[in-house]
C-alpha cells in the first residue's frame, strides 16, 4: 500500500529540525548507522534485559512525539491508527503485554552511509508470542528523504514462508547476504510525506544513503484472526 502526500504539515522544516536534534542524541543498539527514538521491539527481543526500558519508553515517547514534533499538526501515525480502527471490523488497538502498552511507533533517522541488509521482520519471536500474529505489516511514513539518486530506496524480494529456515541462513549481524538473492523483484523510492505499508515477511532492504538524511515514523500493524482487533507496535 503506497499513499503519496499522506503527511503534509504546515511547517515541515521546523518539525524536521526538532526531530534531527532529538535523533542525534539517541542511541540504537543494533546498528551504528541508524538513529532511533525509543527502544524498539527488535532491540528488546534481541536483549530481554531491555524489557523494562522498552515499556518505560512506551509510556513517554508517544506523548513526547505529539508535544515536541507534532504540536502544530496531528501525528500521522495517530491518523492511520484511527483509520484502521474505523475500517477493520473489530478495530485497532495499541498492543499490550503484562507491564502495559507496547511502544506504538518509533522515529528513525538514517544518515549518510546508512543502509539495511535484506531481512524480514519475523512474527514468531518471543517478544510477540503473546499476540498470536498471523501477519506483520511494516508501516513507514517518510518525513524526509535523500535527493533522487542518493539512495534510501526500499528493495523487495519474495516472501519467506519458513522463518526457522530464514534464521538458519541469516548473517551473524542481521539479515541475508545481498549477493545471494539476485536482483530485487521491486524497488520503491520513498517520497517525503509518503505512507508505505508492506508484508514484513517479504525480504526487504534499504539501499545505502549517499547523503543525509532519511527520516520516518515507523511501526508494525499486527494482523491476528479476523474476529480480533489489529494491533500496533514498534
Amino acid at each position: 500500500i503506497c499513499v503519496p502526500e499522506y503527511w503534509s504539515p504546515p511547517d515541515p522544516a521546523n518539525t524536521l529540525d526538532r526531530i534531527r536534534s532529538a535523533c542525534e542524541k539517541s542511541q540504537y543498539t543494533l546498528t551504528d548507522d541508524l538513529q532511533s527514538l525509543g527502544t524498539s521491539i527488535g532491540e528488546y527481543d534481541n536483549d530481554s534485559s531491555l524489557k523494562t526500558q522498552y515499556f518505560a519508553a512506551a509510556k513517554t515517547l508517544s506523548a513526547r512525539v505529539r508535544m515536541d514534533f507534532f504540536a502544530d499538526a496531528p501525528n500521522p501515525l495517530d491518523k492511520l491508527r484511527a483509520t484502521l480502527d474505523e475500517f477493520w471490523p473489530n478495530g485497532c488497538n495499541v498492543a499490550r503485554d503484562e507491564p502495559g502498552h507496547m511502544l506504538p511507533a518509533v522515529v528513525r533517522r538514517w544518515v549518510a552511509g546508512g543502509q539495511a541488509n535484506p531481512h524480514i521482520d519475523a512474527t514468531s519471536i518471543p517478544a510477540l508470542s503473546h499476540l498470536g500474529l498471523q501477519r506483520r505489516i511494516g508501516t513507514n511514513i517518510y518525513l524526509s528523504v535523500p535527493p533522487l539518486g542518493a539512495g534510501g530506496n526500499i528493495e523487495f524480494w519474495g516472501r519467506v514462508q519458513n522463518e526457522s529456515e530464514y534464521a538458519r541462513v541469516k548473517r551473524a549481524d542481521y539479515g541475508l547476504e545481498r549477493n545471494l538473492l539476485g536482483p530485487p523483484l521491486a524497488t520503491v523510492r520513498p517520497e517525503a510525506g509518503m505512507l508505505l505499508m508492506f508484508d514484513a515477511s517479504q525480504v526487504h532492504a534499504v539501499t545505502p544513503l549517499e547523503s543525509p538524511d532519511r527520516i520516518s515514523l515507523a511501526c508494525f500493524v499486527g494482523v491476528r484472526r479476523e474476529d480480533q482487533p489489529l494491533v500496533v507496535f514498534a
Side-chain angles (χ1 to χ4, degrees), residues 13-176:
N14 187 29
T15 300
L16 291 170
D17 284 346
R18 295 198 299 270
I19 291 175
R20 288 186 180 101
S21 178
C23 284
E24 287 171 353
K25 302 171 187 175
S26 69
Q27 292 184 331
Y28 185 64
T29 61
L30 298 181
T31 181
D32 294 333
D33 54 11
L34 173 64
Q35 301 167 352
S36 179
L37 298 181
T39 301
S40 71
I41 194 70
E43 293 173 283
Y44 159 33
D45 189 73
N46 188 63
D47 182 355
S48 60
S49 70
L50 295 177
K51 182 174 183 177
T52 299
Q53 181 176 319
Y54 174 83
F55 281 97
K59 291 181 179 179
T60 59
L61 183 61
S62 291
R64 180 186 179 192
V65 168
R66 292 187 187 103
M67 295 174 62
D68 292 353
F69 307 146
F70 297 102
D72 301 326
N75 178 340
L77 281 180
D78 287 347
K79 170 186 170 183
L80 175 64
R81 192 163 71 243
T83 301
L84 295 173
D85 187 61
E86 292 174 6
F87 285 94
W88 187 257
N90 288 283
C92 178
N93 304 322
V94 177
R96 298 181 69 93
D97 199 358
E98 183 179 347
H101 284 295
M102 297 175 70
L103 184 66
V106 291
V107 181
R108 290 181 170 173
R109 179 178 183 243
W110 297 88
V111 296
Q115 65 174 351
N117 297 332
H119 67 283
I120 66 167
D121 298 292
T123 58
S124 56
I125 60 175
L128 299 176
S129 60
H130 66 290
L131 295 176
L133 298 181
Q134 295 184 358
R135 186 166 294 185
R136 185 171 170 180
I137 307 298
T139 302
N140 292 287
I141 298 174
Y142 299 95
L143 312 185
S144 175
V145 297
L148 181 64
N153 297 336
I154 306 178
E155 300 173 315
F156 293 97
W157 288 265
R159 183 179 179 187
V160 169
Q161 302 294 334
N162 188 324
E163 292 186 359
S164 297
E165 177 64 15
Y166 169 84
R168 187 184 70 81
V169 301
K170 70 179 183 179
R171 294 164 47 125
D173 49 2
Y174 79 96
L176 303 172

